[in-house]
Amino acid sequence: MIGNRILKRRRSVDLDLAAQFLTLPVANVSDCMSRMSAGGAALRPMHGGANMAGPALTVKTRPGDNLMIHKALALAKAGDVIVVDAGGDLTNALIGEIMVGNAVKIGIAGFVINGAIRDAGEIRAGHLPVYAAGVTHRGPYKDGPGEINTPIAIGGMVIEPGDLVIGDEDGILCVPFDEVSALLNATQAKQEAEKKMIADIANGSYDNAWIDATLKRIGCQIEE
């Protein structure tokens, strides 16, 4: 039944491929996706700073209810990222210290919660990546309904089960399953170009002629 179902994940990005994104800035991956996809600035890192990359185990739940998140933890495999669409509601926390501890034991790669968490101090002191929209002490309900392994959307960004989900201090991003290899190559190339740019700035050889060329192209009036 739509809205109250648990499906099997049909495909999942390779963990070794996902791991190659851990050293790449999410901003550079985003640039290589034409800056057109994002989970929204509200989803902030709540943990001690580790980067995140892994296949999405998607959860859709009614605001304030974490029954399906508990079930997702029971289904999760090491390396998974549990991604929860809870409508961005901050009234009730959906995960806390106990569930994060369980996730660490399982070996999941992280949580993305479009909703609130609690036990923020303990989560901040740990290294399991946790991204959320806010913090509240009020606990969750556990009645359902909800869905697991169905497409979800956060801030207009669609996440399919098994897609790559990455995160760093700038936020989170979903890379569609079929685009992962191409985006890896493109981002690695961009990373090398940026390293050269930084080196050029340091040694005084950076060429900023593109600025005036762009101003000329757009017809900008410049007083001499």
Side-chain angles (χ1 to χ4, degrees), residues 178-190:
D178 291 327
E179 307 294 336
V180 173
S181 293
L183 262 297
L184 175 63
N185 293 334
T187 306
Q188 288 172 335
K190 180 174 177 59

Side-chain angles (χ1 to χ4, degrees), residues 17 26 50 76 83 118 133-134 142 191 194 206 215:
L17 185 59
V26 169
V83 187
R118 66 178 179 179
K142 304 177 187 298
Q191 185 79 341
E194 289 201 352
Y206 176 61
L215 292 172

Side-chain angles (χ1 to χ4, degrees), residues 1 7 14 45 72 131 158:
M1 179 185 297
L7 305 182
D14 180 78
Y131 294 81
V158 176

